[in-house]
Amino acid sequence: MPLNTSAYMFRLLGALRRSLPLAAAAVSSHPPPAPFPEGKARSAADDGEGPPQRLSEAMLLKQHCNYVLSKFTPPPPEVFVHRAEAYMALGQPYFALADFIVARERSDQIGRQPQDSCLRECEKLPAEMLLTVPSASSHVGLHVAPFLSRKVALKYIDPMVGRGIFAQFAIAKGETLVTRRLPFAQYPLQEGHCSCCGRTITTRSIPCSNRDCHEEYCSRDCRQAALESYHKPLCNNAAVQAMELDVYARYKSPTANGSDRAQAALILLLLRVVGCSLKDRCVPSALPQLRLLSGRLVCSPTILATSMLDAYRRLVTATKTESTVSYEEVVGAMARLSANAFQTESSILINVPRSMLNHSCRPNAWEHSATGDVVALRNIDAGEEVTFSYYPQVTYASGRRLGDGTDETAGFAPFDVRHAQLRLRNFDCRCSACAQHL
C-alpha cells in the first residue's frame, strides 16, 4: 500500500506501535536474549527472543520508521521513540539508546527513564557479542570479476565465513590471481603519506585548496581524485575535520592499547566511507562497494552504549544526518570495515576484489610489491582456497614482503603472539594454522 500522506503514515505507526508493548513494559516482561553458543554468529535477525509474530511486528515498525525519517524533514521526535521501542522488542537496546537520546533532545516531554532502561538491558547482554551483516551479490560483475584470474572462482562457503576465492585449476607459484585495483577507501596512518593514495610523499606535498583543511597529497591528480570520491562533502565541515584530528590523535597516543588503536583506525576509515556516501547522497550501506562485503564485529554492549555511540553521535551531528543515518547503519558499516579492512603500519584500506580473499595466518597468496597484484606464494592445488594475510605486520615475524619471487614461507610469528595481536584488533582468526595453534 503506498504511503502518501503524513496523516496516514502516523496512523500506521501508531497502530504498529500499539501492537508492541511500551519500552518500559518490554524491559520488565521480556527477558534479554540468551547468550549465543561459542562460534555462532549474532545477526540482526537473531538479536532477540520471543514469538515470531512479535519480532515481525517490530521489524515492520522499524522499517516504517526508517521510511518516515527519510521522507520528513525535520521528523517529529515520536518517530525516534517508535523505532527505539522496535529495537527494544528486537533485543537491541544499544540501538534503542541512540534513538531515545535523539528523541529527548528534540522534545522536553521525554524523560531520562527510557535511556536508563536501555542501559540496564545492555548490562544483561553477554559481555562479548559477534554482530554480523550479510553481503549482497549485486555488482560482483563490476567490482570483483574483472580483476580475478580465470583460474580462480568466487564461491559461497557458509554463513559464518561468507564467500571465498578457490582455485579452479592448479596454479604455479608466482602466477597472478587478483590484478591490482585502487582501494575503494583508504586512510594513511602515518604522517608524510598522501591522504588519497597512501604513498610516501617524497617531494613537495600538494595541500588541499582549502587552507583550513589538513589534508596533503603527493600530486594534483590525487587531490582531484580525493575531491571526486570522498573529500568534497567533508572539506569545509569544521566539525568533521575536528573529529578526524581527535580520532587520529587517539590512534597515535603513546598510551593507547591495541584495541583502542584498532577502533580509532576503523573510525578514520569510516569517515572516508561516509564522505563517499554523502557525495552520492545515500546511506553507507547503499554504496555498491560496501554492499558486496559481509560484516563481522566483535564488541561488547558496554562499548556500543558508550564510546562507539559517542562517536556516532558526533559524526551524525557534524554531518547533519541523524535522521537518515541510524546507529544501526553505522555499526553495520563498521562491521563490514572490521571484517574486510587491510591494515599495515602505514595505512588502513578497503580493496573490494582483494576482500573476497579470506584471511589466513599461513596464506598461499601475497601482494607483489612491484606490481601490486596478488600472486601465488606457492603452488596451489585445484579446489584449494586462496588465502591472504590481512595483517602482514602480525602474521610475519620478520615483516618481509614478496617482491622478487623469494621464498617467504619462513618467519611466521608464533601462535600466542599472533593470536594476542589479532584479538587486540577485534579479529577472531579461524584459519587452519590458528585452529591447530601453530
Side-chain angles (χ1 to χ4, degrees):
M1 180 181 296
L3 306 177
N4 320 10
T5 65
S6 59
Y8 173 79
M9 180 66 68
F10 285 108
R11 285 199 301 271
L12 177 60
L13 285 176
L16 288 169
R17 178 180 179 272
R18 285 191 295 274
S19 70
L20 293 171
L22 295 176
V27 170
S28 60
S29 63
H30 186 59
F36 272 64
E38 184 178 358
K40 183 175 180 182
R42 188 182 187 88
S43 66
D46 296 326
D47 258 354
E49 300 286 331
Q53 179 66 23
R54 174 189 175 87
L55 296 181
S56 63
E57 289 172 349
M59 288 296 295
L60 184 60
L61 175 58
K62 184 182 76 169
Q63 291 167 4
H64 282 295
C65 288
N66 289 338
Y67 182 89
V68 174
L69 290 171
S70 68
K71 295 298 181 182
F72 293 88
T73 305
E78 291 82 5
V79 182
F80 291 97
V81 174
H82 297 339
R83 190 171 68 178
E85 290 173 348
Y87 281 132
M88 292 293 284
L90 292 169
Q92 298 169 319
Y94 32 85
F95 294 149
L97 178 61
D99 280 347
F100 277 131
I101 291 174
V102 176
R104 190 182 181 200
E105 289 176 348
R106 298 188 176 205
S107 174
D108 55 7
Q109 298 181 0
I110 300 174
R112 170 77 190 185
Q113 295 84 355
Q115 293 176 230
D116 295 335
S117 297
C118 292
L119 292 172
R120 286 195 296 271
E121 285 303 292
C122 287
E123 293 175 355
K124 299 176 184 179
L125 293 174
E128 189 175 82
M129 302 185 304
L130 176 61
L131 305 178
T132 64
V133 181
S135 61
S137 298
S138 59
H139 298 89
V140 169
L142 178 64
H143 296 290
V144 177
F147 303 92
L148 300 184
S149 164
R150 293 183 179 181
K151 289 190 174 183
V152 300
L154 186 64
K155 295 182 180 180
Y156 179 78
I157 301 176
D158 58 48
M160 185 66 182
V161 177
R163 293 172 294 206
I165 293 178
F166 289 79
Q168 297 191 95
F169 307 95
I171 297 172
K173 175 182 176 180
E175 283 194 57
T176 298
L177 306 175
V178 183
T179 56
R180 179 179 179 270
R181 192 190 186 188
L182 294 176
F184 160 59
Q186 180 171 1
Y187 196 97
L189 298 175
Q190 300 291 342
E191 297 181 6
H193 289 251
C194 176
S195 296
C196 181
C197 70
R199 295 191 184 97
T200 303
I201 301 176
T202 56
T203 57
R204 183 175 65 89
S205 64
I206 305 297
C208 178
S209 55
N210 176 13
R211 293 184 177 181
D212 296 326
C213 179
H214 61 272
E215 291 209 352
E216 295 182 337
Y217 308 97
C218 63
S219 66
R220 288 180 173 82
D221 289 341
C222 274
R223 182 172 67 181
Q224 185 61 31
L227 286 172
E228 293 175 356
S229 58
Y230 70 89
H231 191 51
K232 188 174 182 179
L234 308 178
C235 181
N236 294 303
N237 191 320
V240 174
Q241 296 272 325
M243 176 183 178
E244 182 180 342
L245 291 175
D246 288 347
V247 176
Y248 184 76
R250 189 171 51 146
Y251 174 83
K252 299 294 288 185
S253 173
T255 60
N257 58 35
S259 180
D260 292 337
R261 286 168 61 87
Q263 187 185 57
L266 284 177
I267 293 175
L268 292 171
L269 186 60
L270 175 67
L271 291 176
R272 291 284 197 262
V273 174
V274 168
C276 294
S277 67
L278 290 174
K279 181 189 73 70
D280 290 349
R281 298 180 180 273
C282 65
V283 295
S285 64
L287 294 168
Q289 297 92 332
L290 209 62
R291 286 174 58 82
L292 280 170
L293 308 176
S294 59
R296 290 190 303 167
L297 182 65
V298 179
C299 59
S300 73
T302 301
I303 291 177
L304 286 172
T306 53
S307 60
M308 193 174 292
L309 178 56
D310 292 340
Y312 162 76
R313 294 283 305 135
R314 187 174 182 183
L315 174 63
V316 294
T317 300
T319 56
K320 300 179 181 179
T321 56
E322 64 182 3
S323 297
T324 55
V325 180
S326 68
Y327 188 31
E328 182 182 21
E329 172 75 28
V330 170
V331 171
M334 288 282 285
R336 284 184 162 108
L337 298 180
S338 175
N340 295 280
F342 298 91
Q343 185 174 350
T344 65
E345 294 296 340
S346 60
S347 65
I348 181 171
L349 60 92
I350 287 290
N351 188 304
V352 176
R354 198 174 296 178
S355 293
M356 299 297 108
L357 295 163
N358 287 314
H359 168 85
S360 174
C361 292
R362 293 292 188 274
N364 54 21
W366 195 232
E367 177 188 351
H368 197 289
S369 59
T371 64
D373 296 337
V374 175
V375 301
L377 187 58
R378 57 170 174 79
N379 294 338
I380 301 175
D381 296 329
E384 184 179 354
E385 183 180 5
V386 180
T387 57
F388 190 88
S389 175
Y390 280 39
Y391 298 94
Q393 72 275 25
V394 174
T395 301
Y396 293 98
S398 60
R400 293 181 296 173
R401 299 186 59 172
L402 178 69
D404 55 3
T406 56
D407 185 7
E408 293 293 331
T409 57
F412 289 114
F415 169 76
D416 293 340
V417 174
R418 193 176 69 242
H419 182 70
Q421 289 296 317
L422 290 175
R423 290 295 293 170
L424 286 175
R425 292 164 170 81
N426 294 323
F427 192 90
D428 184 19
C429 184
R430 298 174 182 270
C431 73
S432 58
C434 288
Q436 301 175 52
H437 289 200
L438 296 178

